[in-house]
Amino acid sequence: QVQLVESGGGLVQPGGSLRLSCAASGSIFRLYAMGWYRQAPGKERELVAGINIDGSTNYADSVKGRFTFSRDSAKNTMYLQMNSLKPEDTAVYYCSAEASTARGTIPYDYWGQGTQVTVSS
């Protein structure tokens, strides 16, 4: 079993910055991918940023140049640095990890509970 916990959300003015954290715990045998997602009221959940097992990253067009996805393997934590925030960035942000918990098992997607980010003046 893998547990993910997000933190760092809050209220910020347009143009401001926030840094989200996602701490992972539990039995992770092999990690395949990680991602940050967001879901605004009445909208579908969308991928904001992802990182593959080889370390490569990808970002949604709407956040390129403003958001940065990083990880700290020693702390078992991943981060999303969000700069130049816009009102349309307002959403609940979730972290996700694709991982197997034992040798020979099929990878499964694990999700955190989410953290609210509100960008408003």
Side-chain angles (χ1 to χ4, degrees):
Q1 187 175 2
V2 177
Q3 296 84 41
L4 302 176
V5 180
E6 304 96 337
S7 63
L11 175 64
V12 63
Q13 294 186 19
S17 298
L18 285 174
R19 187 193 189 205
L20 305 183
S21 299
C22 176
S25 62
S27 300
I28 302 176
F29 179 78
R30 187 173 180 85
L31 182 66
Y32 294 89
M34 297 176 289
W36 283 99
Y37 295 75
R38 68 185 181 188
Q39 186 168 22
K43 297 184 179 180
E44 297 289 329
R45 184 174 297 187
E46 64 174 339
L47 176 66
V48 175
I51 185 167
N52 299 307
I53 193 170
D54 63 357
S56 62
T57 57
N58 59 88
Y59 298 89
D61 289 340
S62 60
V63 307
K64 286 181 179 178
R66 300 188 297 120
F67 291 10
T68 303
F69 190 0
S70 63
R71 58 180 176 175
D72 186 337
S73 58
K75 296 182 178 180
N76 230 7
T77 302
M78 54 182 168
Y79 307 93
L80 184 67
Q81 178 66 47
M82 306 186 295
N83 299 324
S84 301
L85 284 162
K86 305 174 181 179
E88 51 263 43
D89 294 320
T90 296
V92 177
Y93 284 71
Y94 301 87
C95 62
S96 179
E98 180 186 26
S100 60
T101 57
R103 185 184 297 274
T105 60
I106 300 174
Y108 182 81
D109 290 334
Y110 296 89
W111 293 86
Q113 294 299 308
T115 184
Q116 177 71 50
V117 172
T118 302
V119 184
S120 176
S121 60

